[in-house]
Amino acid sequence: MPRGQCGGQGWWHGKFRGCGYRMTLGREAILDVLSKAEGHLSAEDIYIKIHSRYPNVGLTTIYRTLDVLSDVGMVYKLDFGDGRARYEFAEGPKGVHHHHHLVCTECHKIIDYTDFIDDEVELLNQTEKGLGQKYKFKITNHLIQFYGVCQECSDKK
Amino acid sequence: MPRGQCGGQGWWHGKFRGCGYRMTLGREAILDVLSKAEGHLSAEDIYIKIHSRYPNVGLTTIYRTLDVLSDVGMVYKLDFGDGRARYEFAEGPKGVHHHHHLVCTECHKIIDYTDFIDDEVELLNQTEKGLGQKYKFKITNHLIQFYGVCQECSDKK
DNA sequence: CTATTATTGGAAATCATTTCCATTATTAGG
DNA sequence: CCTAATAATGGAAATGATTTCCAATAATAG
Ligand SMILES: [Mn+2]
Ligand SMILES: [Mn+2]
Ligand SMILES: [Zn+2]
Ligand SMILES: [Zn+2]
């Protein structure tokens, strides 16, 4: 297992430590999986992905870590209505890959879309500002999801 | 208990029956509570509100009914991150009171806002159309929530 | 290297939601 | 109004994701 090779082992290392948390093997593994994952992983998904290489990282730790990461804002916790929380890496404070979701209510397929995002985000920023002032909220985040039925599910009828 | 008095007993009666469901006391009670409720009720909230007058409507029925109502689109099922689903009446296909949510991540206070809604909704409609075409989705609904910290919670620091 | 203390894993507890199934109630049709 | 067909119900038990507990372990400052 090569170490150094740059600034360390993932840019998040610093951010995480900076928040006063200790960096552990398990946490690193979780962060690593999340940062590379395509989809939207559940705690168990992560457990499974990690388990072969880190057999001694327990599910409990995964839940705990996800909570922390979520608090710190490094990970988004999402609910797509399939009975378990799903997590996705937040890459940066509002990284290049900011996107929203299209959710099929039949088969729970999720599509990340970035189309139209620019207009949306612009409007959202305004709204955020307005709402923040009016309701004295310190707004930190937003969630946008469209629900519908995907083509495959439509065809099945 | 007066009956008639107009078109029947709540405009939803028809809509519900129209979908092929039987109208029962329990269902009527649930619909009634939801249509008058201010906040965002959980299944148990509803159970409690109903129980004194309808002691023989069980929690199971409430869950089942909420599922149905949610499927039919008469009720929105929401997740505010407090570990239980919350429901709100949808009044009409996209009634006058369409609103979005501002969620305090500390105390879970929820604010319904309608400010800025017009612009939002307009943009959303466009986006819906665009997304629907591009991804072949039949979009039926959207969810928008802003997360942040309310004033009271900010002050507590 | 040590002391301090955050973190961990695993078993058990929680708790919202579902499942089961025998019983009951609604409704269309006569 | 009556009846058959079957949708709906409730309560107990099952489920299953997430939490809680606590003794053991590991990360980190100095
Ligand atoms: Mn995504
Ligand atoms: Mn609301
Ligand atoms: Zn689908
Ligand atoms: Zn608050």
Side-chain angles (χ1 to χ4, degrees):
Chain A
M1 54 198 92
R3 265 298 204 64
Q5 161 171 290
C6 180
Q9 47 282 81
W11 60 268
W12 58 74
H13 199 287
K15 168 148 194 180
F16 195 72
R17 292 297 318 282
C19 296
Y21 295 101
R22 293 182 181 176
M23 186 50 78
T24 67
L25 248 203
R27 286 172 171 179
E28 207 139 14
I30 295 168
L31 242 359
D32 184 57
V33 166
L34 274 170
S35 71
K36 289 171 181 156
E38 283 300 312
H40 306 87
L41 305 177
S42 67
E44 198 187 1
D45 289 341
I46 296 174
Y47 178 80
I48 291 170
K49 289 211 181 224
I50 283 180
H51 192 260
S52 51
R53 200 195 301 255
Y54 305 89
N56 37 6
V57 171
L59 231 202
T60 308
T61 292
I62 295 183
Y63 274 109
R64 265 184 307 227
T65 301
L66 288 171
D67 261 4
V68 171
L69 291 175
S70 184
D71 281 350
V72 177
M74 295 176 71
V75 152
Y76 296 131
K77 181 178 185 179
L78 301 166
D79 167 49
F80 293 129
D82 65 342
R84 72 206 61 205
R86 294 189 168 276
Y87 302 83
E88 105 182 333
F89 203 57
E91 33 190 327
K94 279 219 176 173
V96 207
H97 294 107
H98 186 68
H99 64 266
H100 295 156
H101 296 120
L102 203 47
V103 184
C104 175
T105 51
E106 301 279 331
C107 67
H108 288 124
K109 179 193 306 170
I110 309 293
I111 292 181
D112 289 354
Y113 73 88
T114 50
D115 317 271
F116 318 101
I117 269 286
D118 293 344
D119 287 340
E120 276 184 28
V121 169
E122 186 180 3
L123 178 63
L124 288 176
N125 284 335
Q126 280 180 248
T127 308
E128 254 176 52
K129 194 169 296 177
L131 285 177
Q133 285 178 353
K134 171 158 184 186
Y135 296 107
K136 303 283 170 26
F137 252 69
K138 213 165 277 160
I139 296 180
T140 56
N141 206 348
H142 63 249
L143 171 71
I144 297 199
Q145 297 182 179
F146 284 96
Y147 297 94
V149 183
C150 75
Q151 184 154 44
E152 284 85 59
C153 289
S154 285
D155 290 345
K156 284 179 197 158
K157 299 214 188 151
Chain B
M1 53 196 91
R3 267 298 205 64
Q5 163 172 292
C6 182
Q9 48 281 83
W11 61 267
W12 58 75
H13 200 288
K15 169 149 191 178
F16 196 72
R17 292 298 317 283
C19 297
Y21 295 103
R22 294 182 179 176
M23 185 50 77
T24 67
L25 248 201
R27 284 172 173 181
E28 207 141 11
I30 294 169
L31 242 359
D32 184 57
V33 165
L34 274 170
S35 70
K36 288 171 182 156
E38 283 300 311
H40 307 86
L41 305 177
S42 67
E44 199 187 1
D45 288 342
I46 297 174
Y47 178 79
I48 290 170
K49 290 213 180 224
I50 284 181
H51 193 261
S52 50
R53 200 194 300 256
Y54 304 89
N56 37 7
V57 171
L59 231 201
T60 308
T61 292
I62 295 182
Y63 275 108
R64 265 184 307 226
T65 301
L66 288 170
D67 261 5
V68 171
L69 290 174
S70 183
D71 281 350
V72 177
M74 296 176 71
V75 153
Y76 295 132
K77 181 178 187 180
L78 301 166
D79 168 48
F80 294 129
D82 65 342
R84 72 206 59 207
R86 294 189 167 275
Y87 301 83
E88 107 182 329
F89 203 55
E91 33 189 327
K94 279 218 176 173
V96 206
H97 296 107
H98 187 68
H99 63 265
H100 296 155
H101 296 120
L102 204 48
V103 184
C104 175
T105 51
E106 301 279 332
C107 67
H108 286 124
K109 179 193 305 172
I110 310 294
I111 291 181
D112 288 354
Y113 73 87
T114 50
D115 317 87
F116 319 102
I117 269 286
D118 293 344
D119 287 342
E120 276 184 28
V121 170
E122 187 180 3
L123 179 62
L124 289 176
N125 283 336
Q126 279 179 249
T127 308
E128 255 178 49
K129 194 168 296 178
L131 285 176
Q133 285 178 353
K134 172 158 183 185
Y135 296 108
K136 302 283 168 32
F137 252 67
K138 213 165 278 164
I139 297 181
T140 57
N141 207 345
H142 63 249
L143 171 71
I144 296 198
Q145 296 183 177
F146 284 96
Y147 296 94
V149 184
C150 75
Q151 184 154 43
E152 283 86 59
C153 289
S154 285
D155 290 345
K156 286 179 197 156
K157 297 209 187 151

